[in-house]
Amino acid sequence: METERKGGEKRSPLEHVAAFIVDKRKAFYLLYIGLMIFCVFASGWVKVNDDLTSYLPAETETRRGLTMMEEEFITFGTNRVLVDNVSAAQAEDLAARLERLEGVKEVEFDNTSDHYQTGSALFSITYAGTAEDPVSLDALERVKETLAGYDLYVTGDTGVSDSATLDAEMQVVMVVAVVIILSVLLFTSQTYAEIPVMLLTFGLAALLNKGTNFLMGEISFVSNSVAVVLQLALAIDYAIILCHRYTEERERMEAREAVIVALSKAIPEISGSSLTTLSGLGAMCFMRFGIGRDLGLVLMKAILLSLLAVFTFMPGLLMSFSGLIDRTHHRSFVPKISAWGRMVVKLRFILPPLFVLALVGGFFLSNKCPYAYSQDGLSTFAKNDSQIAQEKVNGTFGAQNTLAMLVKAGDYEKEGRLLRELEAMPEVESVLGLANVEAKDGYVLTDRLTPRQFSELADLDIEAARLLYSAYAVNQETYGQLVSGVDSYAVPLLDMFLFAHDQMEEGYVTLDDELTEEINDLYAQLSDAQLQLKGERYSRLVLQLALPQESQETFDFLDTLHETAGRYYDDYLLVGNSTSSYDLSASFVNDNLLIGILTIIFVVVVLMFTFQSAGLPILLILVIQGSVWINFSFPYLMHDKLFFLSYLVVSSIQMGANIDYAIVIATRYTELKKTIPLKDAVVESLNEAFPTIVTSGTILASAGILIGFLSSSPAISSIGVCLGRGTIISIFLVMGVLPQILLLGDIIIEKTAFTLKARLPIQAHSGNLRLEGHVRGYISGVVDADFSGTVHGTVNASVASSGRSRRPGAVEEEEGGGEDA
């Protein structure tokens, strides 16, 4: 490896690294080809979680209740199936046919308005397995086959895969996004051949990220669906920066040397740019709601792998494509926006005050944003089959709001009193528990029966009943019950029937065929009831509420339920979509505040080190935070509910990614103002930054809008809409308001710089000029050097005396010419 450039100039450490990467490009190609092949297979190992409630903090009531239900109970898979344009007689026949299908445990249907209305029949189907069990899924397919030819709408927890639906939608989003990105790059590129280089680089980074997601064990459907599109939108800048650097260096160097120098210059620039994005994503990882950590880690990994691809894979591509890049140069299609810059300067006393008003208004309106904590009821531009079916069923027969109450098991009498109190509440449509499930002849499962009552109910000989009760007492080791006589021994009906069936199966009890069949049939019903409603430690009560899943009235009623259950039990839990929304709303307040503070702190720290100033970062943050507040004022003004997750995710990404646009403007401005007047620096900084901002901003906004309009998931769609809208607002503020703030706040920037230097006046002369001192500025080109000599031309530069002194240097007009410009 060469240690010197041509001409004898020594290489910097970064250039040594860059030279190694370029010279070993074939080895990197082989490495990445192997990784790509591995990632193609590994992407199939990724487990996707469709359940947002699983990311609730472990201490929340909903999460504890769901964990308890998984341990203690079986929840059979269900579907609500609506068949349209059928008569009542046809519906009854269909119900009978469905109930005979293998894998179908029960079909609930009657001629009441709950199941039949104006030609529409609703079948509530329960399967023999859980929602994910192949038994239930196969049974659902048989149901669809049986109802083929009818107008069919299927809803419920069985056979619905949000991740599969989103995958298909995101594939469409990705194709459209690539078309838009190609169009933008063609418009803003300097040479056509750099486009395949950038696309190959991004394709590698995207595949590496998707293929390594299995290392996280499990990721959410949110991360799985939007990561690729957001990775493209957030990280394409890095490839653009390196391409532009290479093009600049290639004008004066051979291809190899140009790539090495370009990479050595781009590494610190790109790394600095990525830090703000990583800061915003990193803040998400501190959310109590685990989805933030999940999405934050996946996207941070995506950014880091994009950096790796740009730094180690793309330089080789630039070298390999260098000949084609040289031959496909074209004129710039990006126009100069000097007119816009001059207008911005003229409006510097008008737009900033308006921005302050918008900032204050945005702060108050965004705090009134109407949030939703459940995806049910939220509308999207695109709708999948499941959503269409849900709207049809809910529109015809009404929505269901199911709630489970878990109470300590063992005291059937107490459970019965609680059930009766719940049944009397007007907010409760129905409630189901062991203590109100009718078994036979008016008895419920928890009624305590004596041997005579049991013998009459089961049509069993009284002596056989007494023997059975005696055996039960021995089995339960309750010998004391027999002291006063077996005839006074009362046992819950559920327990005795299950015991009788076990004794019959083991051959200890022999019954006639008719009674054996009856007990077997009843055992199946009782066993199902026990599996669903009775656990080792808890009993489950299932309530149907006459309230929406999410409303203040519902949340208030949850408090009433807590108070009611608390009068009977010290240990109880409520579980359902309503409690999930309640818990999410509680965690959102803390997460929102935490993410907002952490994002700003992280970004400010990065900016302070970047600009060596305390005032400039505050001005930049002010603009981008203003864009966030204005963005989230729209839901309030449009009377549209916003899914809470959208705010948490988009506010972090908008602050972390859109701040880059402000950095580009501020960097250009701080460099240019050293050599030209402030107003000219503003105009020129807009001209220089416009290609970068229009490229990155258009891609990010387009990606967000595409996700918003093409995804049927309310969570994903609202993230896309807010991200697209927020990016557009950020671009307008950065290109319009920020330059004015920089111009008006220049004194603040100068006074708060960590290294204070007196700003030397710009001297403008032309003619034959004698210069003495350090010159920085334009002299028929830019000069930054200790200068002693005569210039024939125009000087527009700051001149300091030589050495350490920063006093103004000398500009003397020689005899024979020279006039102030």
Side-chain angles (χ1 to χ4, degrees), residues 9-56:
E9 187 178 347
K10 289 188 176 180
R11 293 192 185 281
S12 67
L14 267 181
E15 286 178 329
H16 280 298
V17 174
F20 174 82
I21 292 171
V22 172
D23 293 337
K24 303 297 182 182
R25 59 187 178 277
K26 291 183 180 179
F28 280 104
Y29 288 165
L30 289 174
L31 172 64
Y32 282 122
I33 288 172
L35 288 174
M36 289 171 69
I37 294 172
F38 171 79
C39 287
V40 168
F41 292 98
S43 60
W45 305 341
V46 180
K47 295 180 180 178
V48 180
N49 187 345
D50 288 346
D51 183 14
L52 282 178
T53 60
S54 63
Y55 293 96
L56 282 166

Side-chain angles (χ1 to χ4, degrees), residues 496-506 519-520 523:
M496 183 51 66
F497 256 114
L498 295 176
F499 179 74
H501 180 271
D502 292 342
Q503 295 299 300
M504 186 180 68
E505 288 291 305
E506 293 174 11
I519 288 184
N520 283 334
Y523 172 80

Side-chain angles (χ1 to χ4, degrees), residues 44-150:
W45 305 341
V46 180
K47 295 180 180 178
V48 180
N49 187 345
D50 288 346
D51 183 14
L52 282 178
T53 60
S54 63
Y55 293 96
L56 282 166
E59 68 274 12
T60 59
E61 183 178 31
T62 302
R63 184 64 262 155
R64 289 187 294 127
L66 288 171
T67 301
M68 190 62 65
M69 287 203 301
E70 291 170 3
E71 294 175 354
E72 297 256 323
F73 306 98
I74 288 181
T75 302
F76 293 114
T78 59
N79 281 120
R80 296 176 84 198
V81 179
L82 187 149
V83 179
D84 213 2
N85 302 314
V86 293
S87 65
Q90 286 176 308
E92 288 182 356
D93 178 63
L94 288 173
R97 290 168 58 190
L98 292 174
E99 200 155 24
R100 291 194 295 269
L101 294 176
E102 182 184 352
V104 173
K105 182 176 289 293
E106 180 184 6
V107 177
E108 186 180 346
F109 176 80
D110 54 41
N111 282 324
T112 66
S113 60
D114 290 339
H115 292 95
Y116 187 83
Q117 289 186 28
T118 59
S120 296
L122 181 65
F123 305 106
S124 299
I125 302 176
T126 303
Y127 302 105
T130 61
E132 296 82 17
D133 196 313
V135 171
S136 301
L137 298 176
D138 292 342
L140 174 59
E141 290 305 312
R142 296 186 190 98
V143 168
K144 291 180 178 179
E145 290 172 6
T146 302
L147 300 176
Y150 292 93

Side-chain angles (χ1 to χ4, degrees), residues 614-814:
L616 185 54
I618 301 302
L619 296 177
L620 302 186
I621 290 288
L622 192 66
V623 172
I624 300 302
Q625 185 61 59
S627 72
V628 173
W629 286 335
I630 294 171
N631 184 19
F632 289 102
S633 298
F634 278 80
Y636 174 78
L637 296 173
M638 298 168 67
H639 306 289
D640 236 353
K641 281 198 169 185
L642 176 70
F643 191 56
F644 78 103
L645 185 62
S646 305
Y647 184 89
L648 296 173
V649 172
V650 174
S651 60
S652 298
I653 293 178
Q654 191 175 344
M655 175 61 74
N658 292 175
I659 195 73
D660 283 351
Y661 310 154
I663 292 173
V664 170
I665 296 282
T667 301
R668 299 290 195 279
Y669 171 76
T670 53
E671 290 176 355
L672 289 169
K673 74 174 186 175
K674 296 175 183 176
T675 57
I676 58 177
L678 297 181
K679 295 179 183 178
D680 294 339
V682 166
V683 175
E684 190 57 34
S685 65
L686 286 173
N687 266 328
E688 293 183 8
F690 180 63
T692 301
I693 294 175
V694 74
T695 303
S696 177
T698 302
I699 290 173
L700 185 56
S702 300
I705 292 170
L706 282 172
I707 292 172
F709 279 87
L710 297 180
S711 174
S712 61
S713 167
I716 305 300
S717 176
S718 59
I719 287 175
V721 169
C722 293
L723 184 59
R725 183 176 61 218
T727 300
I728 293 171
I729 294 171
S730 296
I731 292 173
F732 174 77
L733 293 181
V734 165
M735 294 295 294
V737 177
L738 177 61
Q740 299 169 335
I741 292 177
L742 293 176
L743 192 57
L744 297 175
D746 187 74
I747 185 64
I748 298 175
I749 298 171
E750 291 293 333
K751 292 293 185 183
T752 57
F754 295 157
T755 304
L756 294 176
K757 294 180 180 179
R759 187 171 181 270
L760 298 174
I762 301 298
Q763 304 183 45
H765 304 274
S766 62
N768 296 325
L769 305 172
R770 176 78 181 177
L771 302 184
E772 290 286 347
H774 184 88
V775 179
R776 179 178 175 82
Y778 290 94
I779 308 177
S780 298
V782 179
V783 174
D784 189 351
D786 289 330
F787 192 96
S788 179
T790 301
V791 171
H792 303 281
T794 300
V795 174
N796 184 15
S798 59
V799 183
S801 62
S802 301
R804 296 181 180 179
S805 173
R806 299 299 290 169
R807 299 191 314 274
V811 180
E812 301 175 359
E813 297 174 4
E814 290 192 336

